[in-house]
Amino acid sequence: MKVVLALLVRDEADVLDDHLAFHLDAGVDLVVATDHRSADGTTEVLESYARESHVHLIRERADRIRQSEWMTRMARLAAD
């Protein structure tokens, strides 16, 4: 069994690296992350973890947040 964390973020660069490191150290195998129009370095943090295959990164550019749709998509990816 694998443990997958679904994460929806926007402009979380100040805490994201510590958050990811904590959960990966605690046993999370993969993070499926949706980044919604971040402009503060969040995307770059996620990309660095994606390069190491710890994060599956989805970039959302939609004007409005569609949380239930995006969380469902991440849950389906995690199930696969």
Side-chain angles (χ1 to χ4, degrees):
M1 179 174 75
K2 290 194 175 197
V3 177
V4 180
L5 172 68
L7 192 59
L8 177 57
V9 296
R10 183 172 185 175
D11 294 335
E12 303 287 345
D14 59 332
V15 296
L16 185 58
D17 188 46
D18 288 340
H19 182 76
L20 292 170
F22 174 83
H23 285 90
L24 291 167
D25 287 344
V28 168
D29 296 299
L30 178 68
V31 177
V32 178
T34 297
D35 179 20
H36 181 229
R37 302 176 65 163
S38 290
D40 71 339
T42 294
T43 305
E44 291 78 9
V45 173
L46 290 169
E47 287 171 341
S48 71
Y49 280 87
R51 282 191 295 275
E52 298 174 7
S53 300
H54 296 297
V55 169
H56 176 99
L57 175 57
I58 303 166
R59 293 175 186 88
E60 273 298 339
R61 304 305 304 165
D63 290 330
R64 296 182 56 147
I65 190 168
R66 297 191 312 258
Q67 183 174 352
S68 62
E69 177 184 327
W70 298 344
M71 291 302 293
T72 299
R73 175 179 59 199
M74 289 189 289
R76 288 183 176 143
L77 284 169
D80 289 340

